[in-house]
Amino acid sequence: MKNLLNIRYFLIGLAMSFFALSCVDLEEQVYSDVLADEFFQNEEEFISALGAAYRSLGGLGNHSGLWSINEIASDEIVVSHKGGDWFDGGVLLQLHQHDFLPDNPFFQNSWNFLFGGINTCNRLIFTFEGSDNPIAPSFIGELRALRALYYYWALDAFGNVPLVTDFADLEAPSTRSRQEIYNFILTELNEVIPLLPTAKDASTYGRMTRWSALMIRMKLYLNAEVYTGTPQWALAAADAEEIINSGPYSLMPIYKDNFVINNAISSENILVYPYDKVFARGFNWVMMTLHIASQATFNLTQQPWNGYQTVEEFYNSYVDPVRNPGVQGPVWKGLALEQSPGTLDGRLSNFLVGPQFRSDGSRLTDPGVEGNDPDGQPLTFMPFLNEISPGGLRQAGARIAKYEFERGGTDNMSNDFVIFRLSDVILSLAEAKFRLGETAEALALVNQIRERAGNLDPFTTLTEQNLFDERGREMYVEMTRRQDLIRFKKYGEAWWPFQGMNRPKRVHAPGSHWELFPIPEPQILANPKLTQNPGYN
C-alpha cells in the first residue's frame, strides 16, 4: 500500500508549485498571496507546501533528462538508430560517443531539472523563514538537505555551475568553480545532518533523513579526488560505516524485491521518489525500453517506443568469473546463455532477453514495417548489438527490466524510483577500505553483496577490476556508472566496438574535459555571467 501521507503532500505540493525552470530567471508569477504566518500553523501545512520541492524529483524516471545523460554516456546504455527510429537529430548518438555539444537538448533538460528543484527549495526556504512557528527550522533543514542533493548532481554532471541560495536576489548568477560548489554542499550537509530525522517509517518515506543526507556526503567524499583533486577515503568510510552500523536498513534477501511494483516494502532503499501511475506520473521506463510488440506481452494500454538497450559487453559482465575463468560473458547463441548450471547471477533479473510471448503464452512476432520484418521473426531480444547507427536491429539489445513491469499497466509505472540504497553504501565502504589498504575488510563487504546475488562463489582476492565490475553488476542503471567510470579512470576507454557510427570514437585520458558535460547553450546565451566548461567553446 502506498504511503497516503506522501501521496497527499505530493499532490498538494504539485498544485501549489509555480516555479521557474532555470536559475537564470529567478522571478515567478504570483497567483495568490499566502502569508507564512497565516498559513503555516501546523505540521500538515508545512508538509503540503514541502511537496513541491520533492515533486521536482519526478523528472528522474523519464526520457531525455539527468538519468538519460548519465546512463547513455556510460558503457551501460545505448539508444541505437534503428532505421527511421531514434535518430532524433543525432543527440543520442553524440551522448554515447562522447561527442557532447552544448546545444544538445538533453543537457538543457537536465539543467532545468536541477535548477528547477534548487529554485523551488530556495522559494520554500524563503517562505518558511517568514514563519515564527517553532517547527519551521526542521523543515528548512530538510529543504537545505534536498537542495544539497540537487547541487550534488549538478556538481557531478556540470562541475562549474551557479550558486543560488537567495530566492529574493533577482540578479543573474555567475559561474562558481567546482571546488566552491563542493565546499557549499559539504558545509550545508554538516550543518543540517544533526537536525534531520532518523526514523524509517511512513512519516519519512520519500523524504530527506539523516541517512540520505549522510549518503550525499559519503558520495562527495568518495568522489572528492575527482571533484577537488584531494582524496577523502577515510571520511567516505566513516559516513558509510555510520549508515551501515546505526541506520535502520538491511539488505533485502532477494535483490529484485527492491524494484517490484510495491517496493515500499524494501528494507534496503534509503531514499526513493514515490511514483504512482495516477497521482505521481512520469516513470516511463516501460515505454522507453520495450519493443512496440511488447504491448501484447504485458497487456499495456500504450505501445512502447523500442528505444533504450543495454550495451552487449556490459550485459556479458554478469558471467561468474570465479566459476568460469577465462569466459568473456554469457555468450548469446539463439536462445540460450552458455553458462554452466548454477552459475547465473541472480541480478540477471535486471534484463529482459530471449523469446517474447503474448500474455496468452503464444509466440510473439515483430510485425516489422508495413508487415515486413527486416530483423526476422519471431520476436527475440538478443544481447547482441550490431551497430549504433544507422541500421540498428529493432530486436537487438537486452532490455532494461530492473523494475517490475505491471501486467495491464499504463505508460506510467507505480514502482518507487530508488535514489539511494544500502548495497551502494556497502560497496562504497568496500572501495574506501580497499583504497586505504584494508583489503580483508573490503573483500568481506564485496562478498556480502555477491552472496545476496545468489549462485555466486565468493571472491578469494579483491582487485580494483573485480571491485569495479561488482559495482557495475549491482548498481546497473541506478545513475552511478558514469561516476564510477570516471573515478576508476575508465571513462575514456574505447569500450564501444561497433562500426557504422556517424562520428569517430572518443578515446580520452582520465581528467579530460569530456568528464564534465557542457553548460547548455541556451543558458550561456541567456546569462552572459555564465562561463562555458573548458573544451566546449
Side-chain angles (χ1 to χ4, degrees), residues 431-487:
E431 182 182 346
K433 294 282 189 182
F434 177 81
R435 297 188 188 282
L436 290 168
E438 301 172 26
T439 54
E441 292 182 52
L443 176 63
L445 289 162
V446 173
N447 281 333
Q448 184 180 351
I449 298 301
R450 287 180 60 77
E451 181 181 2
R452 195 269 296 274
N455 294 318
L456 299 178
D457 288 340
F459 287 144
T460 55
T461 59
L462 189 62
T463 66
E464 184 175 80
Q465 184 63 49
N466 60 23
L467 173 60
F468 172 75
D469 291 341
E470 202 63 39
R471 274 199 65 86
R473 288 185 284 265
E474 180 71 17
M475 301 305 299
Y476 170 71
V477 293
E478 293 187 50
M479 217 164 71
T480 63
R481 183 65 171 183
R482 171 184 158 274
Q483 186 183 88
D484 291 348
L485 285 162
I486 293 171
R487 191 174 65 254

Side-chain angles (χ1 to χ4, degrees), residues 146-424:
L146 181 58
R147 183 176 62 186
L149 176 62
Y150 288 117
Y151 262 116
Y152 156 68
W153 283 329
L155 167 80
D156 190 71
F158 297 106
N160 309 293
V161 298
L163 180 57
V164 184
T165 60
D166 185 356
F167 184 72
D169 185 359
L170 302 182
E171 184 177 347
S174 58
T175 303
R176 300 292 188 93
S177 70
R178 206 178 200 186
Q179 178 74 64
E180 288 178 281
I181 301 300
Y182 176 94
N183 293 343
F184 166 74
I185 300 169
L186 188 57
T187 299
E188 287 286 285
L189 292 172
N190 288 342
E191 291 181 6
V192 303
I193 283 171
L195 309 176
L196 294 172
T198 60
K200 180 185 183 296
D201 57 25
S203 69
T204 60
Y205 189 75
R207 294 171 60 183
M208 296 298 299
T209 64
R210 177 183 180 89
W211 315 113
S212 50
L214 274 171
M215 192 158 183
I216 302 170
R217 193 171 72 180
M218 180 202 77
K219 291 277 193 177
L220 279 180
Y221 288 142
L222 192 70
N223 295 283
E225 187 172 15
V226 174
Y227 297 156
T228 71
T230 303
Q232 300 288 0
W233 304 116
L235 293 173
D239 280 347
E241 286 175 327
E242 181 174 352
I243 297 168
I244 294 168
N245 297 331
S246 302
Y249 304 99
S250 59
L251 290 179
M252 290 288 284
I254 300 174
Y255 170 83
K256 67 180 181 180
D257 285 350
N258 292 301
F259 311 100
V260 295
I261 295 169
N262 184 26
N263 59 341
I265 63 171
S266 172
S267 62
E268 180 173 341
N269 294 338
I270 295 173
L271 179 64
V272 303
Y273 178 78
Y275 278 105
D276 184 273
K277 65 181 180 181
V278 175
F279 297 104
R281 295 180 293 177
F283 195 1
N284 305 132
W285 286 12
V286 65
M287 295 289 106
M288 291 156 55
T289 191
L290 290 182
H291 191 281
I292 57 174
S294 300
Q295 183 176 12
T297 301
F298 297 95
N299 288 331
L300 301 171
T301 62
Q302 304 288 328
Q303 191 177 73
W305 310 331
N306 197 26
Y308 287 65
Q309 305 142 287
T310 306
V311 173
E312 182 181 6
E313 285 72 20
F314 186 86
Y315 174 83
N316 286 342
S317 71
Y318 281 72
V319 70
D320 185 353
V322 176
R323 298 188 190 186
N324 298 271
V327 177
Q328 296 301 308
V331 180
W332 182 256
K333 281 191 176 180
L335 305 178
L337 289 167
E338 298 245 324
Q339 284 189 302
S340 303
T343 64
L344 293 179
D345 190 324
R347 294 167 298 193
L348 281 167
S349 60
N350 285 335
F351 309 104
L352 184 62
V353 294
Q356 299 301 296
F357 300 88
R358 295 181 179 86
S359 59
D360 63 7
S362 61
R363 192 73 166 86
L364 188 62
T365 57
D366 182 347
V369 180
E370 297 180 352
N372 299 313
D373 179 16
D375 305 340
Q377 297 181 352
L379 179 60
T380 301
F381 288 141
M382 306 173 293
F384 167 72
L385 284 159
N386 62 314
E387 66 179 23
I388 189 173
S389 177
L393 298 178
R394 297 200 320 277
Q395 298 190 26
R399 305 309 166 100
I400 305 170
K402 186 153 191 165
Y403 288 87
E404 179 186 8
F405 296 138
E406 180 182 6
R407 303 282 171 171
T410 72
D411 52 341
N412 291 283
M413 298 164 63
S414 289
N415 319 61
D416 295 342
F417 188 96
V418 180
I419 298 172
F420 293 140
R421 63 189 177 96
L422 182 64
S423 60
D424 190 4

Side-chain angles (χ1 to χ4, degrees), residues 2-24:
K2 288 285 183 182
N3 180 345
L4 295 179
L5 175 62
N6 279 279
I7 291 175
R8 182 173 185 274
Y9 74 65
F10 274 122
L11 287 173
I12 297 174
L14 176 61
M16 293 181 64
S17 61
F18 299 98
F19 54 86
L21 288 179
S22 169
C23 75
V24 172

